[in-house]
Amino acid sequence: MKVEFMLNNQEVIYEVDPGEVLLDSLRKNHLVSVKRGCDSSTCGVCTVLLNDKPVLSCSLLTASIEGKHITTVDGLQKEIEEIAHYFGEEGADQCGFCNSGLALTIYALKKENPNPTDDEIKHYVVGNLCRCSGYQAQFLAIKRYLGGAK
Ligand code: FES
Ligand code: FES
Protein backbone atom coordinates (compact mmCIF):
# COMPACT_ATOMS: atom_id res chain seq x y z
CA MET A 1 0.00 0.00 0.00
CA LYS A 2 1.04 3.62 -0.53
CA VAL A 3 1.29 6.09 2.34
CA GLU A 4 1.73 9.78 1.65
CA PHE A 5 3.00 12.02 4.42
CA MET A 6 5.28 14.97 5.17
CA LEU A 7 8.81 13.99 6.15
CA ASN A 8 10.95 16.86 7.37
CA ASN A 9 8.64 19.27 5.54
CA GLN A 10 8.82 17.41 2.24
CA GLU A 11 6.00 15.38 0.79
CA VAL A 12 6.93 11.70 0.40
CA ILE A 13 5.13 8.57 -0.71
CA TYR A 14 6.27 5.27 0.80
CA GLU A 15 5.28 1.84 -0.43
CA VAL A 16 4.77 -0.21 2.74
CA ASP A 17 3.27 -3.45 4.04
CA PRO A 18 0.09 -2.86 6.07
CA GLY A 19 1.77 -4.12 9.24
CA GLU A 20 5.03 -2.24 8.76
CA VAL A 21 6.19 0.09 11.52
CA LEU A 22 7.57 3.53 10.83
CA LEU A 23 11.04 2.68 12.15
CA ASP A 24 11.41 0.05 9.41
CA SER A 25 9.96 2.31 6.72
CA LEU A 26 12.31 5.18 7.56
CA ARG A 27 15.44 3.06 7.79
CA LYS A 28 14.54 1.25 4.54
CA ASN A 29 14.48 4.71 2.98
CA HIS A 30 17.93 5.64 4.34
CA LEU A 31 16.75 7.66 7.36
CA VAL A 32 19.28 5.89 9.56
CA SER A 33 19.45 8.71 12.09
CA VAL A 34 16.38 6.97 13.55
CA LYS A 35 17.92 4.21 15.66
CA ARG A 36 16.71 0.71 16.47
CA GLY A 37 17.19 -0.31 20.09
CA CYS A 38 14.80 -2.55 21.98
CA ASP A 39 12.19 -2.80 19.22
CA SER A 40 9.61 -3.14 21.99
CA SER A 41 8.66 0.43 23.03
CA THR A 42 10.93 0.75 26.04
CA CYS A 43 14.21 2.52 25.13
CA GLY A 44 13.22 5.65 23.18
CA VAL A 45 16.10 5.60 20.69
CA CYS A 46 13.64 5.29 17.79
CA THR A 47 11.82 8.52 18.76
CA VAL A 48 10.56 10.76 15.96
CA LEU A 49 8.11 13.66 16.09
CA LEU A 50 4.59 13.09 14.86
CA ASN A 51 2.95 16.48 14.36
CA ASP A 52 5.58 17.88 16.77
CA LYS A 53 4.99 15.31 19.54
CA PRO A 54 7.54 12.58 20.37
CA VAL A 55 6.43 9.07 19.40
CA LEU A 56 8.15 5.70 19.26
CA SER A 57 8.57 4.79 15.61
CA CYS A 58 9.06 1.10 16.49
CA SER A 59 5.45 0.91 17.60
CA LEU A 60 3.74 3.20 15.10
CA LEU A 61 2.22 1.70 11.96
CA THR A 62 3.35 3.60 8.89
CA ALA A 63 -0.14 3.11 7.48
CA SER A 64 -1.50 5.30 10.29
CA ILE A 65 0.48 8.43 9.39
CA GLU A 66 -1.18 9.27 6.09
CA GLY A 67 -1.23 13.08 5.74
CA LYS A 68 0.70 13.69 8.97
CA HIS A 69 4.03 15.39 9.66
CA ILE A 70 7.05 13.36 10.71
CA THR A 71 10.23 15.07 11.85
CA THR A 72 13.63 13.47 12.41
CA VAL A 73 16.91 15.13 13.40
CA ASP A 74 17.66 15.44 9.68
CA GLY A 75 14.99 18.14 9.47
CA LEU A 76 16.16 20.21 12.45
CA GLN A 77 19.77 20.93 11.76
CA LYS A 78 20.08 24.25 13.59
CA GLU A 79 18.29 23.10 16.75
CA ILE A 80 20.19 19.83 16.80
CA GLU A 81 23.53 21.64 16.49
CA GLU A 82 22.59 23.79 19.48
CA ILE A 83 21.58 20.75 21.54
CA ALA A 84 24.78 18.94 20.51
CA HIS A 85 26.82 21.94 21.62
CA TYR A 86 25.42 21.77 25.17
CA PHE A 87 25.75 17.99 25.28
CA GLY A 88 29.39 18.28 24.27
CA GLU A 89 30.13 20.97 26.87
CA GLU A 90 28.49 19.00 29.67
CA GLY A 91 30.15 15.72 28.71
CA ALA A 92 26.78 14.14 28.01
CA ASP A 93 27.79 12.89 24.59
CA GLN A 94 29.29 9.44 24.95
CA CYS A 95 28.49 6.64 22.50
CA GLY A 96 25.77 8.87 21.04
CA PHE A 97 23.32 6.07 20.28
CA CYS A 98 20.52 7.67 22.29
CA ASN A 99 21.20 11.23 21.13
CA SER A 100 18.90 11.62 18.16
CA GLY A 101 15.83 10.34 20.03
CA LEU A 102 16.60 12.41 23.11
CA ALA A 103 17.32 15.54 21.06
CA LEU A 104 13.93 15.29 19.37
CA THR A 105 12.23 14.80 22.72
CA ILE A 106 13.80 17.87 24.30
CA TYR A 107 13.15 19.94 21.18
CA ALA A 108 9.47 18.98 21.54
CA LEU A 109 9.56 19.81 25.26
CA LYS A 110 10.89 23.29 24.52
CA LYS A 111 8.07 23.92 22.04
CA GLU A 112 5.41 22.55 24.35
CA ASN A 113 6.67 23.97 27.65
CA PRO A 114 9.52 26.48 27.25
CA ASN A 115 9.98 27.00 31.00
CA PRO A 116 9.61 23.60 32.67
CA THR A 117 10.48 22.71 36.25
CA ASP A 118 13.19 20.12 36.91
CA ASP A 119 10.51 17.52 37.61
CA GLU A 120 8.71 18.35 34.37
CA ILE A 121 11.94 17.89 32.42
CA LYS A 122 12.59 14.53 34.06
CA HIS A 123 9.03 13.39 33.47
CA TYR A 124 9.16 14.40 29.80
CA VAL A 125 12.39 12.55 29.00
CA VAL A 126 11.72 9.49 31.15
CA GLY A 127 11.20 7.27 28.10
CA ASN A 128 14.60 8.09 26.56
CA LEU A 129 17.04 5.63 28.10
CA CYS A 130 20.83 6.03 27.98
CA ARG A 131 23.21 3.23 28.83
CA CYS A 132 26.30 5.47 29.11
CA SER A 133 25.82 8.85 30.71
CA GLY A 134 24.15 8.32 34.08
CA TYR A 135 21.70 11.09 33.09
CA GLN A 136 23.14 13.95 35.22
CA ALA A 137 25.28 15.39 32.41
CA GLN A 138 22.36 15.06 30.01
CA PHE A 139 20.10 16.79 32.51
CA LEU A 140 22.49 19.74 32.84
CA ALA A 141 22.79 19.99 29.05
CA ILE A 142 19.01 19.92 28.66
CA LYS A 143 18.63 22.71 31.22
CA ARG A 144 21.14 24.86 29.38
CA TYR A 145 19.37 24.24 26.08
CA LEU A 146 16.07 25.21 27.64
CA GLY A 147 17.65 28.37 28.95
CA GLY A 148 17.67 27.61 32.65
CA ALA A 149 14.75 25.70 34.10
CA LYS A 150 13.53 26.37 37.62
S1 FES B 1 13.49 0.80 19.53
FE1 FES B 1 11.63 1.85 19.86
S2 FES B 1 11.50 2.15 21.99
FE2 FES B 1 13.33 0.99 21.70
S1 FES C 1 25.34 8.14 25.17
FE1 FES C 1 25.44 5.99 24.84
S2 FES C 1 23.38 5.33 25.01
FE2 FES C 1 23.32 7.39 25.57
Side-chain angles (χ1 to χ4, degrees), residues 123-139:
H123 181 74
Y124 205 89
V125 303
V126 74
N128 290 88
L129 304 186
C130 174
R131 60 192 168 186
C132 307
S133 75
Y135 299 109
Q136 187 58 20
Q138 287 183 338
F139 181 65

Side-chain angles (χ1 to χ4, degrees), residues 87-102:
F87 270 57
E89 285 205 341
E90 294 296 338
D93 197 7
Q94 296 190 33
C95 84
F97 193 66
C98 65
N99 284 3
S100 55
L102 179 59

